[in-house]
Amino acid sequence: PVCIILCLIASVLKRVRDKDTNIVVTFVNAAGTLLNVFFISVILAAVTPMVCYSHPGDSGSSVRVAPSVLCWTDEGEHTGMVIVGVIAFLIIPLPYAVGAIIMVKNLPAMVARMNPRDCSIIVSTRFFFERYKPSRYYFGLYVLLRGAVICLVPVVFATTKQQVILVSGTLWLYALTQQSLQPWRSVVTNTFDGLSCFSLTMFLLCGSLVDSALGTAIAVVFSIICLVCLGIAALRWFRVRPMYDCFLCHDPRDAAAQARLFPFPLRP
């Protein structure tokens, strides 16, 4: 909330300096960008009181980040933490996600109508859409869903094995969808988004093996192999290659006339 108020103040100050500035458009874009960036952080903070670990001998449980706080007891401290987390979730992440779903649902009709009101709404929410290709305008929902699922897995599933399987499955499903749709405007961004999901999954699986000396050794070797593979992929991607504004390659007999005609529209 404090950051949102600061965004409003910044929008008003920008309007004072530039009379052509639309306060609503500027404020919505600034606040929406902040909410988009801190969406996962807010959900993590909201669900943290609900992540508990069991004591030996089934003698109760404690909050993982605050072991002195007992979960679901009559003392009321944990209940207060849960209430604050639920309120934070209802105030920030939930309205943002609902608004994103409504905007994605209505965007095609708004683009088709293109009246002044719809244009103003589209410009106000460009922070959510302009990173993606026009045909993949809806991909922001996949990003929000991935973050929400990863944050909620520790709350619903207590064992490490279940959490590793579900988080890994979420990352792989997201990576498969992302690589199939290629939603980002830049090829480099599409490539590194897939590589980051692959790397996170590999390190997550390696981390789950460090419960013994053999598992630790396997995890270290596997991590080194993953890093080497990522390094080779990066070097192959960034290697120097000839760049051309326009390169023609044609059969000298069947396509000669077409190749000679093609450069004329390219000339300034």
Side-chain angles (χ1 to χ4, degrees):
V2 176
C3 294
I4 294 177
I5 294 174
L6 292 177
C7 289
L8 180 59
I9 295 174
S11 301
V12 173
L13 293 177
K14 185 177 180 181
R15 174 60 184 270
V16 172
R17 295 181 57 184
D18 185 3
K19 298 301 182 181
D20 295 331
T21 301
N22 189 318
I23 295 180
V24 176
V25 172
T26 305
F27 169 69
V28 172
N29 274 291
T33 301
L34 282 176
L35 291 174
N36 204 25
V37 170
F38 294 106
F39 181 78
I40 295 178
S41 301
V42 175
I43 293 182
L44 280 176
V47 303
T48 293
M50 305 178 191
V51 181
C52 303
Y53 69 93
S54 299
H55 296 166
D58 295 331
S59 57
S61 59
S62 296
V63 179
R64 185 174 296 276
V65 297
S68 61
V69 179
L70 298 178
C71 295
W72 314 113
T73 60
D74 296 333
E75 297 179 1
E77 186 175 1
H78 180 251
T79 303
M81 294 173 63
V82 172
I83 291 174
V84 172
V86 171
I87 293 174
F89 182 81
L90 294 177
I91 290 177
I92 300 178
L94 185 61
Y96 178 75
V98 172
I101 293 172
I102 294 174
M103 189 61 199
V104 168
K105 180 178 180 298
N106 295 330
L107 183 65
M110 296 171 65
V111 172
R113 289 194 300 263
M114 270 301 178
N115 55 49
R117 178 177 175 273
D118 291 335
C119 290
S120 178
I121 295 175
I122 293 173
V123 174
S124 299
T125 56
R126 66 177 182 267
F127 69 91
F128 193 79
F129 299 106
E130 69 177 2
R131 297 174 297 169
Y132 310 111
K133 298 175 182 177
S135 59
R136 303 289 186 259
Y137 65 93
Y138 52 83
F139 192 77
L141 295 181
Y142 288 91
V143 178
L144 296 181
L145 180 62
R146 180 197 62 175
V149 170
I150 292 175
C151 293
L152 295 176
V153 163
V155 179
V156 181
F157 300 93
T159 63
T160 303
K161 293 181 180 179
Q162 293 174 334
Q163 294 175 8
V164 169
I165 292 173
L166 289 172
V167 173
S168 300
T170 301
L171 290 174
W172 276 111
L173 184 61
Y174 170 83
L176 178 62
T177 305
Q178 184 268 328
Q179 290 297 305
S180 299
L181 297 177
Q182 295 286 300
W184 303 96
R185 292 179 180 269
S186 171
V187 177
V188 176
T189 307
N190 282 311
T191 303
F192 276 92
D193 193 10
L195 287 176
S196 64
C197 288
F198 170 77
S199 304
L200 289 173
T201 306
M202 292 299 102
F203 287 125
L204 180 64
L205 295 176
C206 291
S208 64
L209 297 173
V210 294
D211 55 350
S212 63
L214 178 60
T216 303
I218 295 174
V220 170
V221 173
F222 198 52
S223 300
I224 293 174
I225 293 174
C226 291
L227 289 175
V228 171
C229 292
L230 290 175
I232 293 174
L235 289 175
R236 288 179 60 85
W237 179 265
F238 288 110
R239 71 181 187 274
V240 178
R241 54 171 64 90
M243 301 297 293
Y244 304 95
D245 292 331
C246 182
F247 181 76
L248 295 178
C249 182
H250 63 278
D251 181 89
R253 184 186 61 182
D254 296 330
Q258 184 178 3
R260 286 194 296 269
L261 177 63
F262 186 71
F264 286 98
L266 300 178
R267 294 178 180 174

